[in-house]
């Protein structure tokens, strides 16, 4: 959701954007989007044909062949490079430290709220998982963190400090205030400490439902502000429009109102409770 919000905002600012996410909901093509649109079936086939020889060569040399996700990441990188984009948003796959997307040195890293996820691979405790997730933090590259439980935040803070990466945290450096909701979405105000009465971003709207999406919206605002300070041309009007028009199906999505039909999905107890 945060990746979608950031991409939507940058696209609203007139930037040429790429968005790389997984898994897909309906079509495989959703994983690689350019300008908000899924790449075509023809592009998928052409990219797969191009990547296939490298995949097969590595396997023939007795090494572990690239995984499906690693091959997919290479396909996305090729598609984005050739599209001449201004900005790409890459959602990290499993974990972070050893994820295929972590070969990139980004302008900004973002860590959303952590829970016990993929424990068979990442570890069975929150600090262990946080260490894997914090693997995307690069030396002197800013990082934005959504609210975390204390044991996870300690790992993120320590990793950021050790790598000289400026850390911006939602809940400390950026705050939000809930302003109401209905089935069409919800409204919030986002501000920095001391600006409760004169907030930087009053009366924002986001069509995604659920309390966690307020955290995600605030995290996205914080991320956009870091990008803007770094020279990415995203103004306040674009931020407002990007959040208001973001689309992310399958997340507390209202399919019908008479009767009320809502579809959602989650893969761990923490997400189900949220």
């Amino acid at each position: 959701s945060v990746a979608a919000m950031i991409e939507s905002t940058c696209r609203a600012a007139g930037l040429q954007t790429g968005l790389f996410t997984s898994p897909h909901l309906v079509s495989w093509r959703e994983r690689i989007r350019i300008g908000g649109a899924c790449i075509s079936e023809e592009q998928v086939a052409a990219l797969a044909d191009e990547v296939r020889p490298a995949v097969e060569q590595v396997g023939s040399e007795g090494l572990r062949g690239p995984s499906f996700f690693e091959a997919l990441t290479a396909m996305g990188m090729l598609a984005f490079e050739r599209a001449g984009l201004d900005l790409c948003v890459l959602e990290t796959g499993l974990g972070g430290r050893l994820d295929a997307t972590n070969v990139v040195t980004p302008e900004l890293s973002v860590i959303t709220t952590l829970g016990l996820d993929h424990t068979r691979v990442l570890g069975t405790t929150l600090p262990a998982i946080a260490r894997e997730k914090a693997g995307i933090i690069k030396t002197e590259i800013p990082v934005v963190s959504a609210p975390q439980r204390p044991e996870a935040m300690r790992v993120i803070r320590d990793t950021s400090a050790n790598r000289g990466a400026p850390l911006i945290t939602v809940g400390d450096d950026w705050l939000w205030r809930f302003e109401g909701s209905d089935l069409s979405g919800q409204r919030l105000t986002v501000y920095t400490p001391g600006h409760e009465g004169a907030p930087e971003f009053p009366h924002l709207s986001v069509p995604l439902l659920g309390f966690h999406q307020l955290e995600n919206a605030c995290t996205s605002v914080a991320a956009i502000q870091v990008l803007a300070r770094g020279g990415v041309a995203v103004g306040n009007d674009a931020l407002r429009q990007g959040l208001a028009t973001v689309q992310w199906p399958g997340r507390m999505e209202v399919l019908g109102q008479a009767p009320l039909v809502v579809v959602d999905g989650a893969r761990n107890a923490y997400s189900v409770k949220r």
Side-chain angles (χ1 to χ4, degrees):
S1 298
V2 169
M5 290 179 189
I6 294 172
E7 187 275 336
S8 179
T9 297
C10 291
R11 184 156 38 88
L15 300 177
Q16 296 298 313
T17 60
L19 177 62
F20 181 81
T21 59
S22 63
H24 60 271
L25 184 64
V26 176
S27 169
W28 195 95
R29 298 161 44 235
E30 299 167 27
R31 295 168 178 252
I32 302 172
R33 304 183 195 223
I34 295 175
C38 303
I39 63 171
S40 67
E41 292 183 354
E42 291 76 16
Q43 284 176 294
V44 172
L47 289 166
D49 285 342
E50 186 170 358
V51 168
R52 184 189 302 274
V55 172
E56 293 177 342
Q57 178 181 347
V58 171
S60 68
E61 294 173 351
L63 302 173
R64 178 188 67 80
S67 68
F68 163 77
F69 184 79
E70 288 165 345
L72 166 67
T73 303
M75 292 168 62
M77 301 295 185
L78 286 173
F80 294 153
E81 179 186 31
R82 289 165 186 171
L85 304 177
D86 299 311
L87 183 138
C88 298
V89 181
L90 308 177
E91 181 195 21
T92 304
L94 193 156
R97 182 175 64 92
L98 298 177
D99 189 79
T101 61
N102 205 28
V103 299
V104 170
T105 299
E107 295 294 321
L108 167 69
S109 300
V110 181
I111 300 177
T112 54
T113 306
L114 304 180
L116 293 177
D117 204 10
H118 297 296
T119 53
R120 183 177 60 83
V121 177
L122 302 181
T124 57
T125 66
L126 203 54
I129 292 173
R131 280 190 288 273
E132 294 296 320
K133 301 285 187 177
I136 68 169
I137 298 174
K138 304 293 196 303
T139 300
E140 298 182 353
I141 300 294
V143 55
V144 170
S145 175
Q148 308 288 350
R149 281 178 275 185
E151 59 268 40
M153 184 56 77
R154 278 193 293 272
V155 174
I156 293 171
R157 288 193 185 280
D158 289 347
T159 304
S160 299
N162 291 338
R163 297 177 185 173
L167 174 63
I168 299 91
T169 61
V170 172
D172 293 319
D173 302 307
W174 285 93
L175 306 164
W176 77 94
R177 182 169 64 237
F178 175 61
E179 293 191 344
S181 65
D182 53 36
L183 291 181
S184 68
Q186 48 190 341
R187 296 164 296 284
L188 72 158
T189 286
V190 176
Y191 57 95
T192 55
H195 289 81
E196 295 85 348
E200 288 85 349
F201 300 100
H203 313 306
L204 298 174
S205 64
V206 60
L208 306 179
L209 297 173
F211 179 81
H212 59 291
Q213 296 293 11
L214 299 175
E215 286 184 358
N216 287 338
C218 188
T219 301
S220 300
V221 170
I224 291 295
Q225 294 314 294
V226 173
L227 292 175
R229 288 196 296 271
V232 179
V234 181
N236 292 355
D237 289 343
L239 188 151
R240 188 172 296 276
Q241 179 185 348
L243 287 181
T245 58
V246 65
Q247 295 181 330
W248 204 238
R251 292 290 186 268
M252 290 295 290
E253 182 183 6
V254 178
L255 298 183
Q257 296 191 24
L260 180 64
V261 179
V262 180
V263 63
D264 195 9
R267 64 174 174 233
N268 60 31
Y270 175 80
S271 297
V272 171
K273 290 175 182 176
R274 297 306 298 271

